[in-house]
Amino acid sequence: MSGEADQAGSAVRFVLDESSVHAVYPPAARAGNYTAVLPHVTLTSSVLPWERTLARSGASGRAPWLALLVFAEGELADDPQASGQSTMRTVESLVRPTEPGTLGPELSEPSEVVACRTIDVPAELFTALVPREEELHCLAHVRDASVAGLREGDESPAGGEYAVVTASRFPRAAGSYAVHLVSLEGFERILPADTRLVRLASLHSWSFTHLPDAPLDVAGLLGNAAVFGLSDSVAPSGPLLLAPDTAPVPGAQNSAGPDAEELLDSGYVPVPFRPVTGEATFAWYRGPFAPAIVSGLPPAAPRTTADHGLIYEPEYGLFDVSHAAAWTLGRTLALADPHYSADIVRARRGIAGRAADLKDLPTAPAAGEAPAPADSEKAHTQELLAATANQRSVSLAAWLDDLTLLRGVPFSYLVPQPDLLPPESLRLLHIDPAWTTALAEGARSTGVHTAADAELAPYLDQAITRASHAEAPAAGVLLNSPLVHDAPALDLTATRDGQPVTALRRTHPAPDILLVLFDAVPDQIDIREPSQGIHFGIDSANSHETINLRHLTTDRSTDTEPA
């Protein structure tokens, strides 16, 4: 092993950086039925469990120096509630405890680490829990996770090799359990007869709650989420982003009218609104997520103020503020980002300075349109201004590409009422292109202060469009379920006519919520527990609790199906 690896092993002898832990199971601070599951931890370093050597490792090979121990409530004096707590002590106090009957690891090498987390384990419990050397070989392995990641910048687990350390104790009685990743280095000898407590270095710990009566069924939870989204008016194959059972804003002067149900079914929600006339009323709002394909196209002329996005619905006597809110949000996000706002102001000043040098402010040609051949001087000026805009558009386009994928957009703008996405629900949705267009127009309006700025704005807008690499999302999926927290890398794939649909973005707006945006509307979505999330334990359906092993080769000696 290289010297660098040896140094790394020495560095984690008593203290393990939190970044070295990729995942734990059962998930920290979660409750569920874990009767048939062995707790385990996945480490980012595939060689960490073997970087140090136990003194008694013999012909059977190098045994791991790490072990995962599970403690129930009341078993540890350091942590009577089994909440994953440990006691900070000096390394000197770990190696040479002064308390009578307390035994520490037998280590002779000095350490640069001054203090570490420790636990005191009763000697009888230590003897019962700590695996024997031959068992340690079976409780740690290297896993090669080949994960098909999403596009750069998305939240997706990286492939590679990981080390997995598994405990050897099942949780049985209901209650809290603490799991500690401990070092066994220095405990190769037999415990002296007068030992009451064994002091261990705890490198990482977490806790979970075992509820034997709680359901732990991935398929069942996903099924419940899908069924929750269905109603009598929506076919099982149709969109599931349904409207909440809500009423108009209390105190509003206008009534919703008989067509309110139609708007609610279209994903709109009532929001407080005060028009310029001053009375208190309400308006309708819908974010970019809609339960059906949105009819109508964005306006041909760009909106330059939020008022341009207001839509008056004469049949309802109310305003639709969806696009106005999107425009205002885009401008607010742009102004809140000092880098973007400074870049776009500099770009506008640069184009204006170039136009002043040319002593002309020619209108930019429409996108894809060439100037008239006869007006060569005007065409030359337009080309020079377009070139100036191109030089300053790259960073702006990258920022707006993120906005196109709704990065930075508050979740309350996407799902304006919690009733639209209750717990244990799955929502399939269409993206409203007019809403996302208004969002981008609001962001691009930054820095337009004069008539000259407005006249030259199309040069920068067209340059940004040419430099953009983002695809506008067409559809998406929202899942609100504890499964998202327990397995954030749920394997979600979408297809249309049997062909894969590209996932443009995958993110977690909240620990229990998963949002995936697609470049096309899929006709089938499959959700599976990730292959790297396969857990260790026994078949809960087997009354004899027999361990069913997977077939390691295709040459099966029995007809038993793999677990």
Side-chain angles (χ1 to χ4, degrees):
M1 188 175 295
S2 68
E4 182 180 354
D6 288 336
Q7 290 175 4
S10 177
V12 300
R13 190 177 192 183
F14 301 111
V15 177
L16 182 66
D17 189 271
E18 290 297 319
S19 63
S20 298
V21 177
H22 175 69
V24 298
Y25 194 88
R30 298 294 287 190
N33 180 4
Y34 303 113
T35 303
V37 175
L38 290 172
H40 49 278
V41 58
T42 304
L43 305 172
T44 56
S45 172
S46 62
V47 298
L48 180 58
W50 299 273
E51 281 188 335
R52 306 197 67 83
T53 304
L54 297 179
R56 292 179 59 188
S57 293
S60 58
R62 175 181 289 187
W65 64 286
L66 298 175
L68 205 60
L69 305 183
V70 181
F71 301 97
E73 296 179 54
E75 291 184 339
L76 292 180
D78 296 286
D79 187 16
Q81 303 300 320
S83 58
Q85 299 298 313
S86 56
T87 301
M88 186 66 68
R89 295 184 173 96
T90 64
V91 173
E92 177 70 19
S93 179
L94 167 69
V95 177
R96 285 177 281 276
T98 58
E99 299 85 347
T102 302
L103 179 69
E106 186 177 338
L107 301 173
S108 58
E109 300 178 28
S111 172
E112 296 180 359
V113 178
V114 176
C116 61
R117 299 167 53 199
T118 65
I119 54 174
D120 285 347
V121 183
E124 184 177 351
L125 182 62
F126 176 86
T127 303
L129 288 184
V130 173
R132 296 186 297 271
E133 180 185 338
E134 58 270 23
E135 296 171 333
L136 286 172
H137 290 283
C138 301
L139 296 174
H141 69 276
V142 175
R143 173 181 293 171
D144 185 3
S146 298
V147 180
L150 299 176
R151 298 187 177 188
E152 185 176 355
D154 288 305
E155 301 173 12
S156 178
E161 291 188 345
Y162 299 84
V164 180
V165 181
T166 308
S168 56
R169 183 187 191 185
F170 291 101
R172 291 307 188 196
S176 297
Y177 287 82
V179 188
H180 289 264
L181 180 67
V182 302
S183 167
L184 296 183
E185 187 182 17
F187 289 103
E188 296 86 351
R189 64 194 187 283
I190 299 176
L191 299 184
D194 60 346
T195 303
R196 288 191 313 107
L197 296 172
V198 178
R199 183 162 295 173
L200 299 170
S202 175
L203 303 180
H204 183 77
S205 64
W206 77 95
S207 66
F208 64 92
T209 302
H210 172 51
L211 301 175
D213 297 330
L216 184 63
D217 178 15
V218 174
L221 287 173
L222 287 175
N224 291 339
V227 170
F228 195 101
L230 297 177
S231 73
D232 295 337
S233 61
V234 178
S237 60
L240 305 183
L241 185 64
L242 304 181
D245 182 13
T246 186
V249 178
Q253 294 181 6
N254 296 42
S255 64
D259 297 315
E261 185 176 350
E262 178 183 350
L263 288 171
L264 292 171
D265 288 341
S266 299
Y268 283 92
V269 297
V271 294
F273 181 64
R274 188 179 294 274
V276 293
T277 50
E279 68 270 18
T281 181
F282 72 93
W284 293 105
Y285 172 80
R286 183 179 64 194
F289 299 159
I293 297 176
V294 180
S295 60
L297 298 174
R303 288 160 282 225
T304 56
T305 69
D307 287 346
H308 291 165
L310 287 174
I311 301 173
Y312 182 68
E313 302 285 358
E315 63 270 34
Y316 307 126
L318 296 168
F319 279 97
D320 177 352
V321 299
S322 305
H323 299 164
W327 191 96
T328 302
L329 175 62
R331 185 174 177 86
T332 301
L333 294 175
L335 293 172
D337 188 318
H339 300 291
Y340 173 81
S341 56
D343 285 348
I344 196 168
V345 168
R346 279 194 296 265
R348 296 198 188 283
R349 298 288 76 80
I351 299 172
R354 184 69 168 178
D357 293 339
L358 298 170
K359 303 185 184 306
D360 192 6
L361 296 179
T363 303
E369 177 183 324
D375 196 350
S376 59
E377 182 177 352
K378 180 178 178 180
H380 181 64
T381 301
Q382 290 177 339
E383 290 175 0
L384 291 176
L385 292 176
T388 302
N390 290 339
Q391 295 171 359
R392 301 174 181 271
S393 62
V394 175
S395 63
L396 300 175
W399 192 92
L400 288 165
D401 283 350
D402 282 344
L403 196 63
T404 299
L405 296 177
L406 304 178
R407 287 192 175 95
V409 175
F411 193 64
S412 59
Y413 279 81
L414 305 178
V415 182
Q417 284 195 6
D419 291 345
L420 289 170
L421 189 68
E424 295 295 331
S425 62
L426 174 69
R427 298 291 186 255
L428 312 180
L429 47 98
H430 294 267
I431 308 298
D432 180 359
W435 196 99
T436 56
T437 298
L439 180 72
E441 287 175 350
R444 289 201 302 267
S445 70
T446 307
V448 178
H449 302 300
T450 67
D453 290 336
E455 193 169 353
L456 293 170
Y459 286 101
L460 187 58
D461 291 344
Q462 293 176 20
I464 291 173
T465 300
R466 288 189 293 269
S468 173
H469 298 289
E471 297 181 53
V477 171
L478 271 170
L479 174 62
N480 184 0
S481 171
L483 286 175
V484 176
H485 181 281
D486 296 349
L490 278 173
D491 184 7
L492 188 150
T493 58
T495 57
R496 182 180 180 89
D497 297 329
Q499 299 300 316
V501 174
T502 301
L504 300 176
R505 185 186 177 207
R506 176 178 175 138
T507 186
H508 296 278
D512 285 353
I513 297 177
L514 171 65
L515 168 64
V516 184
L517 300 178
F518 302 108
D519 66 344
V521 180
D523 54 28
Q524 179 172 329
I525 295 176
D526 296 320
I527 304 177
R528 304 181 183 88
E529 190 175 10
S531 58
Q532 70 271 20
I534 295 175
H535 305 309
F536 305 95
I538 57 176
D539 184 356
S540 59
N542 192 319
S543 59
H544 300 290
E545 296 184 347
T546 302
I547 298 177
N548 295 326
L549 299 180
R550 292 179 181 81
H551 293 279
L552 302 183
T553 68
T554 57
D555 182 15
R556 301 184 178 185
S557 57
T558 68
D559 293 332
T560 304
E561 292 296 324

